[in-house]
Amino acid sequence: SQQGEEDPQALSIQEGENATMNCSYKTSINNLQWYRQNSGRGLVHLILIRSNEREKHSGRLRVTLDTSKKSSSLLITASRAADTASYFCASNFGNEKLTFGTGTRLTIIP
Amino acid sequence: EPEVTQTPSHQVTQMGQEVILRCVPISNHLYFYWYRQILGQKVEFLVSFYNNEISEKSEIFDDQFSVERPDGSNFTLKIRSTKLEDSAMYFCASDELRGSTEAFFGQGTRLTVV
């Protein structure tokens, strides 16, 4: 498959701490997108990072992309209870569709 | 903020019945997609649709599935004869530019086949 695993599969941290999630892929990408999914709900788009970009920020979110290692990370700073959700990376390999990773389940402990 | 809307939010159907899942993509988007997520598993691509025709489909999207854009706003997924294994969350998505821009997803339709 083109898409590798995300790690960790599950992460529990105290409110206020930073959370880092990683995503790997196997072939060259056009862009990589991060999504959040609250339990049983829809997918909320967080950030898109293109293959020629190395870092992108949006509020408390920071995404990095290392195309030499075929990996990306999502950092959430100063976590809040409302950040509890599953986080997915999804890669676009130059066609239309997105290929999703397995996701990281993040739990923020108040 | 524009959003993708899906109806119904939950559908229960008998095995062998036909179901139609409905979506209204974002109005200026040109590319439309269906994905599904079986409980506890990853989100999987089903089909993409552009200019009133299927542009790509996965091996999941067999003859039991079809898509249609019956008017200028709706985008539908039909499953002709549902199987138990079709039980999943089905997501509609749309984007402006063939995977090069953000893909926005609807809230999903949870399909339960009994």
Side-chain angles (χ1 to χ4, degrees), chain B residues 12-18 80-86 112-114:
Chain B
V12 181
T13 189
Q14 294 258 332
M15 191 169 56
Q17 295 294 303
E18 174 183 287
R80 284 185 187 61
S81 178
T82 49
K83 308 185 198 90
L84 294 176
E85 55 265 36
D86 293 327
T112 304
V113 182
V114 297

Side-chain angles (χ1 to χ4, degrees), chain B residues 8 11-14 16-22 64-66 76-83 86 90 109 111-113:
Chain B
Q11 172 104 37
V12 181
T13 189
Q14 294 258 332
Q17 295 294 303
E18 174 183 287
V19 293
I20 297 176
L21 310 183
R22 293 185 163 78
Q64 292 300 312
F65 291 86
S66 63
T76 62
L77 173 70
K78 183 193 290 186
I79 309 175
R80 284 185 187 61
S81 178
T82 49
K83 308 185 198 90
D86 293 327
Y90 287 81
T109 294
L111 177 65
T112 304
V113 182

Side-chain angles (χ1 to χ4, degrees), chain A residues 1-71:
Chain A
S1 91
Q2 294 173 309
Q3 189 74 7
E5 299 292 319
E6 289 182 50
D7 75 273
Q9 289 189 335
L11 177 64
S12 290
I13 60 172
Q14 293 286 334
E15 193 168 18
E17 294 181 339
N18 297 341
T20 300
M21 290 157 268
N22 303 295
C23 163
S24 64
Y25 56 91
K26 295 180 181 174
T27 60
S28 297
I29 59 167
N30 180 36
N31 64 64
L32 188 143
Q33 305 184 38
W34 283 89
Y35 289 85
R36 184 184 73 231
Q37 183 181 37
N38 290 78
S39 180
R41 308 287 293 277
L43 294 160
V44 176
H45 190 274
L46 297 176
I47 289 186
L48 179 152
I49 187 164
R50 302 190 189 283
S51 59
N52 61 352
E53 297 175 311
R54 291 297 165 257
E55 188 170 310
K56 233 173 161 176
H57 297 254
S58 176
R60 294 183 296 112
L61 307 180
R62 173 179 165 243
V63 167
T64 61
L65 181 65
D66 187 335
T67 52
S68 67
K69 294 181 180 175
K70 293 186 170 58
S71 67

Side-chain angles (χ1 to χ4, degrees), chain B residues 17-86:
Chain B
Q17 295 294 303
E18 174 183 287
V19 293
I20 297 176
L21 310 183
R22 293 185 163 78
C23 169
V24 179
I26 294 173
S27 61
N28 64 330
H29 286 184
L30 300 176
Y31 295 87
F32 314 119
Y33 310 86
W34 285 100
Y35 290 79
R36 80 170 186 192
Q37 184 182 33
I38 294 171
L39 188 63
Q41 298 187 23
K42 62 167 79 173
V43 177
E44 303 172 288
F45 169 78
L46 293 178
V47 66
S48 58
F49 192 86
Y50 169 70
N51 201 26
N52 282 321
E53 59 183 28
I54 291 173
S55 46
E56 187 176 354
K57 59 183 181 179
S58 71
E59 49 191 43
I60 302 168
F61 194 88
D62 62 21
D63 291 345
Q64 292 300 312
F65 291 86
S66 63
V67 289
E68 197 177 34
R69 189 156 161 83
D71 52 42
S73 58
N74 290 286
F75 179 50
T76 62
L77 173 70
K78 183 193 290 186
I79 309 175
R80 284 185 187 61
S81 178
T82 49
K83 308 185 198 90
L84 294 176
E85 55 265 36
D86 293 327

